[in-house]
Amino acid sequence: MKKNVFMLMSSILVLGAALAGCGGNSAAPSNNTNGNTATPADSGKPKVLRLNLHTEPPTADPSLAEDSTSGAVTRATFDGLTRVQPDGKVAPSVADKVDVSDDLKTYTFTLKDTKWSNGEALTAKDFEFTWKRVLDPKTAANYAYQLYYIKGAEKYNKGEGKLEDVGIKAIDDKTLQVTLENPTPFFLELTAFYTYYPVSKAVVEKDAKWATDAKTHVGNGPFKMEAWEHKSKMVLVKNDNYWDKDNVKLDKIEFSMVEDENTELSMFDNGELDWAGKPLSDIPTDAMKPLKENGTLQTQTTAGTYWYKFNTEKPPFNNVKVRKAFAYAIDRQSIIDNITQGNQKPAMGAVPPSMAVGAPDGYFKDNDAETAKTLLAEGLKELGMDKVPPITLSFNTSEGHKKIAEAIQDQWKKNLGVDVKLENKEWKVYIEDLHQGNFQIGRMGWLGDFNDPINFLELFKDKKGGNNDTNWENPKFKELLTASASEKDAEKRKQILADAEKIFMDEMPVAPIYFYTSSWVQNPKVKGVFMDGLGFVDYKWATIEE
């Protein structure tokens, strides 16, 4: 017997609804995370939303996307089997219905009649092609591990299994059958994530560079790409071939690509942009206080962690005591009070409070300079070093990242007597260097892809995992994460993940700094922009009131 899961399931993404509008100054009436798309009589004037991407998207291919900028573009131009709705719940999108076997391991998706933006039919075979393409080692998709819940997926991706053993099969043009390794309660949340979005088999096989130019880009989402002037601007227009086009109110989205946050805010003040700040950029730190005081700043709690990654294969950070020394010597609260000013919370662990499983008060003390000094001396001795070698802290170009790095640079000098060189790079170059291990300490943040602690911990399961970068690996940590996947008892699984996080924090491959909030300002005429508790933004239901 099979059951239609959407007839029975409660919200997987309650977090999105619960957190919408939380945080300082979040109750302003123009905060539209409730998805209200009611509009007055249509004036006939085109509805154009003007935004800033802050940086060139590394990709517009959802199979390769791994950052918030690319994610926002692919979420606008593609659609998944499921989609998170403005109430924070997951609902069928390209899928018409979903049936789940009694053992909760086989999902059968029946697709709607939908088309690609070029008018061609989208079929279950496109989904099968896409997901297997993501898993193909030749694709080098850093998010391939998001599909490891599927039977045989991990082994195939790691070159240890066969493609025909992967549990993804198009039964016919309208039916996709997926078999999982273990029951996965959040699987329908995963199918709403961009790595699970389909790409056109015909388009990809015809042109390997299809996703780099508006002329060849083909999606199936609410919008389609009309123009992409690299490092300058991108224009999306309403996709008339979208299955749910009647609920898409915007005619166009115009993205600028301005890296300087002060320039972005000036453009907003001058009426050139309808939105400034998160989730695609940042509010200049010097502007946070006055914007709070005049009541225009909007802030929402986000399930994410801002951290510094250590390259654990490069001395001196191949020593755990040295890593802990640098982590303990950071004064997080002063950074929040004086720089970020967005009501963030100091991060004394890796997993955000909304999904925390262990150590509610954290794993160490903030700004513990004395312990840090002791650990640094012990670590250097173990390494046979008399002093700390030259240290470089890398970050991607951003006024906020620069100020945080400068503050931590000063703290490490004061608390540890260490001189640290700062290095900033354009985002695409920066992320590539991180993945290739060309760094000592590197800034990064992680926003949850779904509301479960495994999403933060599994990043570091494998030394060469797509988003690990630290080169850290621990056999017991891996064993616990593997065990959590098959544990059916919720409390036991929670304890397993708590034990895993404790190992992670004991070894400190990253130095957590703070748990995110999102802050922005917006034109009060902009309605219906949905930003969930994970920090994802969706413009499908957005509109401009006149």
Side-chain angles (χ1 to χ4, degrees):
M1 174 183 176
K2 294 181 179 180
K3 53 183 179 290
N4 188 317
V5 70
F6 285 104
M7 304 258 318
L8 301 174
M9 70 181 289
S10 60
S11 170
I12 296 175
L13 275 182
V14 172
L15 177 73
L19 292 184
C22 292
N25 285 337
S26 62
S30 57
N31 184 347
N32 292 293
T33 53
N34 61 7
N36 178 17
T37 58
T39 58
D42 193 345
S43 65
K45 182 179 178 181
K47 297 181 184 296
V48 181
L49 179 62
R50 299 162 303 166
L51 305 165
N52 183 40
L53 279 177
H54 186 269
T55 187
E56 168 88 352
T59 183
D61 179 348
S63 299
L64 300 178
E66 56 177 291
D67 64 289
S68 58
T69 304
S70 301
V73 171
T74 56
R75 195 168 284 108
T77 53
F78 289 86
D79 199 5
L81 293 166
T82 57
R83 197 174 186 101
V84 182
Q85 304 300 297
D87 61 2
K89 296 180 181 179
V90 173
S93 202
V94 174
D96 187 48
K97 68 173 183 175
V98 185
D99 294 306
V100 185
S101 62
D102 290 340
D103 66 1
L104 306 180
K105 291 170 65 174
T106 300
Y107 285 66
T108 303
F109 298 89
T110 303
L111 275 58
K112 295 181 174 73
D113 288 323
T114 61
K115 296 180 180 180
W116 293 105
S117 56
N118 63 5
E120 296 179 0
L122 187 157
T123 73
K125 294 174 184 176
D126 288 309
F127 277 97
E128 179 180 359
F129 166 79
T130 303
W131 293 6
K132 289 180 176 178
R133 172 178 175 253
V134 170
L135 292 168
D136 188 338
K138 295 178 182 177
T139 304
N142 285 323
Y143 258 151
Y145 65 85
Q146 292 284 34
L147 277 69
Y148 283 3
Y149 303 96
I150 298 172
K151 183 179 179 181
E154 181 174 7
K155 288 184 177 179
Y156 171 61
N157 182 244
K158 292 181 175 180
E160 301 168 358
K162 299 178 181 179
L163 178 60
E164 53 265 33
D165 294 333
V166 177
I168 306 167
K169 184 178 182 181
I171 304 299
D172 54 42
D173 284 352
K174 292 293 180 62
T175 311
L176 180 71
Q177 188 176 83
V178 184
T179 304
L180 307 183
E181 291 280 5
N182 300 289
T184 305
F186 48 81
F187 186 65
L188 292 176
E189 189 177 340
L190 282 171
T191 57
F193 187 65
Y194 47 74
T195 310
Y196 281 79
Y197 289 169
V199 296
S200 168
K201 182 175 185 291
V203 169
V204 174
E205 290 183 338
K206 180 180 179 181
D207 182 2
K209 297 183 178 180
W210 66 276
T212 63
D213 192 298
K215 294 178 181 178
T216 52
H217 191 272
V218 174
N220 70 317
F223 303 93
K224 63 180 181 180
M225 194 180 297
E226 181 181 72
W228 186 358
E229 296 179 19
H230 290 278
K231 298 189 177 182
S232 177
K233 71 176 183 179
M234 178 183 287
V235 179
L236 308 181
V237 296
K238 182 175 178 177
N239 178 14
D240 288 332
N241 284 316
Y242 183 52
W243 72 269
D244 197 26
K245 65 180 181 180
D246 291 345
N247 282 316
V248 179
K249 307 303 181 185
L250 290 177
D251 295 295
K252 184 180 292 188
I253 301 176
E254 295 180 348
F255 288 114
S256 303
M257 296 182 194
V258 176
E259 285 194 340
D260 184 75
E261 291 94 340
N262 288 290
T263 302
E264 177 183 327
L265 186 58
S266 294
M267 291 172 69
F268 173 81
D269 291 337
N270 294 335
E272 299 172 62
L273 292 175
D274 297 305
W275 193 290
K278 292 292 186 183
L280 302 178
S281 185
D282 285 296
I283 295 292
T285 55
D286 292 342
M288 292 289 286
K289 185 176 180 180
L291 290 174
K292 281 183 184 180
E293 291 174 347
N294 68 25
T296 59
L297 185 73
Q298 300 191 47
T299 300
Q300 172 178 309
T301 303
T302 303
T305 311
Y306 188 103
W307 52 35
Y308 280 176
K309 291 183 175 181
F310 297 113
N311 188 335
T312 63
E313 287 190 336
K314 288 190 176 182
F317 300 111
N318 56 340
N319 182 277
V320 63
K321 291 181 178 178
V322 174
R323 297 196 296 269
K324 285 187 173 182
F326 276 72
Y328 291 5
I330 298 172
D331 186 347
R332 293 157 179 79
Q333 192 61 57
S334 72
I335 291 170
I336 293 168
D337 293 342
N338 300 311
I339 300 176
T340 60
Q341 303 179 70
N343 297 317
Q344 293 88 354
K345 181 179 179 181
M348 317 312 295
V351 178
S354 61
M355 56 182 81
V357 286
D361 297 323
Y363 294 87
F364 58 97
K365 294 191 299 181
D366 187 27
N367 193 28
D368 190 357
E370 291 306 312
T371 302
K373 290 176 184 176
T374 300
L375 287 169
L376 181 61
E378 292 175 356
L380 291 176
K381 184 177 181 180
E382 290 175 3
L383 290 169
M385 294 181 176
D386 296 325
K387 61 180 181 179
V388 178
I391 301 295
T392 300
L393 168 58
S394 305
F395 56 92
N396 55 295
T397 303
S398 160
E399 182 244 9
H401 299 330
K402 181 174 182 287
K403 288 190 174 183
I404 292 171
E406 289 173 341
I408 292 177
Q409 178 189 45
D410 290 341
Q411 292 170 8
W412 283 338
K413 177 66 174 177
K414 175 185 175 183
N415 294 334
L416 299 176
V418 175
D419 292 311
V420 176
K421 176 186 175 183
L422 301 185
E423 177 182 63
N424 76 288
K425 301 176 184 178
E426 182 265 336
W427 172 247
K428 191 172 183 178
V429 174
Y430 176 73
I431 194 70
E432 187 174 319
D433 279 349
L434 236 64
H435 289 338
Q436 292 180 355
N438 298 327
F439 75 103
Q440 283 182 298
I441 309 174
R443 182 221 74 88
M444 189 48 68
W446 190 258
L447 298 176
D449 300 323
F450 51 92
N451 187 31
D452 192 279
I454 189 67
N455 184 233
F456 282 76
L457 299 175
E458 70 181 351
L459 293 171
F460 306 96
K461 183 178 181 181
D462 295 309
K463 178 178 178 178
K464 296 301 180 183
N467 287 297
N468 187 336
D469 301 325
T470 67
N471 291 313
W472 175 83
E473 191 174 74
N474 180 288
K476 181 61 177 178
F477 179 80
K478 292 179 67 171
E479 179 184 318
L480 288 168
L481 295 192
T482 299
S484 74
S486 57
E487 179 53 65
K488 297 180 181 179
D489 185 290
E491 287 304 311
K492 289 181 180 178
R493 179 176 182 271
K494 181 178 178 180
Q495 186 57 54
I496 290 171
L497 293 175
D499 292 343
E501 186 182 18
K502 185 177 186 303
I503 290 173
F504 185 75
M505 295 311 302
D506 282 345
E507 300 236 347
M508 201 71 75
V510 305
I513 298 175
Y514 60 79
F515 296 120
Y516 277 107
T517 56
S518 293
S519 296
W520 72 93
V521 289
Q522 70 181 80
N523 182 336
K525 293 182 179 181
V526 176
K527 305 294 181 183
V529 174
F530 171 55
M531 185 154 51
D532 70 15
L534 297 171
F536 294 144
V537 65
D538 196 336
Y539 301 108
K540 173 179 175 176
W541 299 278
T543 189
I544 306 287
E545 290 186 353
E546 297 297 338

